Amino acid sequence: MKVKLLTALCFLLINSGMLKAQAKDQKMGELIDQQFKFADQQYKILAKNVPADVMPKTLNATTGEVVTSNTAWWCSGFFPGSLLYIYEYTQDAEILDEAKRRLTILEKEKNNKGTHDLGFMMYCSFGNAYRLLHDPAYKDIIEASAASLSTRYHPGAQVIQSWNSNDMWAGPVIIDNMMNLELLSWVSDHGGDKKYKEIAVNHANSTIKNHYRPDFSAYHVLDYNMETGEVLKKVNWQGFADESAWSRGQAWGLYGFTMMYRFTKDKQYLDQAIHIANFMLNDTNMPADMIPYWDYDAPEIPNTYRDASAGAIMASALLELAQYTDKTASKKYLDASEKAIRTLASDAYRSKLGENGGFLLKHGVGFLHQNSEVDVPLTYGDYYFLEALHRYKDWYL
């Protein structure tokens, strides 16, 4: 572990702050074009490395082999979603065919009531598929997925339960769950049951009330009494300590409240997103290149890991937030996002063709305390990087 950390740190120290001149100086349109053309080639390699009945998840840093998951794993929607983002830009029929093959094995999860992650799994995949291809069968799958997700809602606590109850947790709710509200809100707004959006609003309101500290940093996990709504404990399961700010969790919240403002135009969500963004960007431990350390309060900073996935999620979220704020704030968020995108597109974070198992980004951190997915590619890091590239192209070029 120490050797691995030192190797990663040496690499990042050499590259941090010294991005390639082409990545720093080239126009964003050219950069985005290059990234999608690279992704088109690289994801064909990744597809060949992954059996047809499973999804890519990460890379085994020791063996260099792609680690896969079944479709019930929370990350299962990101590979087809990424393929669809690539297809949207390149119109490569081979990429679309691969996306459709992966959607076919994923479809059965529409009936999975044992997970809160159906937004990640089914909206990032089938949501993009329906947006691009307009196949009504995809919309039916999205609607069925929302129905399954809604079964995890507890009216007494007004939250969607994340993990199942066990000896450790009575009713755990994680900040990541904000991301799954997009599925519910979209279905309600596109002819589905209006109760789904009501559930999303109630969950978001409970999250504002309970999940955030006065400085607008978020806990990772809240444990609820699901009958009364009493919060039993607040912890950081994947962060450094219970009162620290786990970086990916902050990005999930930023993205989630910005998205909820899009669906509701409720100013409390916009205000919450602005507060979260300012917490992140003003934190003294935010690096100049806008790729956060795995936890904003990790004691080893700067001698610890960055999390490229947190940087990608943040970059995508800031691009949307910049759409809703005044000119000064918008420029700040756009500049920060652009810097993060340029950093991720540089040699410091983006892999070379044929390397990294076929994934796009390097240096993600899953669960450091359990030595799980440390300094490796993460499929959701790739997904939100591609989404950020699309958003920048569509909104700012």
Side-chain angles (χ1 to χ4, degrees), residues 11 14-26 31 34 342-343 345-350 352:
F11 182 83
I14 289 170
N15 285 279
S16 181
M18 298 189 302
L19 305 182
K20 294 283 188 181
Q22 64 182 51
K24 290 174 67 175
D25 300 332
Q26 73 179 143
L31 182 147
Q34 288 180 2
R342 288 182 180 275
T343 304
S346 75
D347 289 346
Y349 284 91
R350 208 210 69 189
K352 290 182 170 57

Side-chain angles (χ1 to χ4, degrees), residues 1-59:
M1 183 75 170
K2 289 183 178 179
V3 173
K4 183 180 174 185
L5 175 57
L6 287 172
T7 301
L9 288 173
C10 288
F11 182 83
L12 289 174
L13 287 171
I14 289 170
N15 285 279
S16 181
M18 298 189 302
L19 305 182
K20 294 283 188 181
Q22 64 182 51
K24 290 174 67 175
D25 300 332
Q26 73 179 143
K27 295 179 180 179
M28 281 296 289
E30 295 174 356
L31 182 147
I32 290 167
D33 184 65
Q34 288 180 2
Q35 298 312 306
F36 275 111
K37 288 177 178 176
F38 168 79
D40 185 89
Q41 299 177 72
Q42 185 78 339
Y43 258 49
K44 289 175 183 175
I45 295 169
L46 179 58
K48 288 181 172 64
N49 287 335
V50 179
D53 60 341
V54 293
M55 298 291 191
K57 180 179 171 185
T58 184
L59 194 71

Side-chain angles (χ1 to χ4, degrees), residues 319-375:
L319 289 174
E320 181 168 14
L321 182 59
Q323 297 275 295
Y324 307 138
T325 52
D326 63 42
K327 186 177 294 187
T328 300
S330 179
K331 184 179 187 305
K332 179 172 75 170
Y333 301 145
L334 179 59
D335 288 350
S337 179
E338 180 177 330
K339 186 171 289 188
I341 291 170
R342 288 182 180 275
T343 304
L344 293 170
S346 75
D347 289 346
Y349 284 91
R350 208 210 69 189
S351 57
K352 290 182 170 57
L353 185 64
E355 297 181 352
N356 206 30
F359 290 97
L360 304 180
L361 299 181
K362 303 175 286 188
H363 306 306
V365 177
F367 196 163
L368 184 63
H369 290 329
Q370 292 190 355
N371 195 25
S372 173
E373 302 177 342
V374 179
D375 196 34

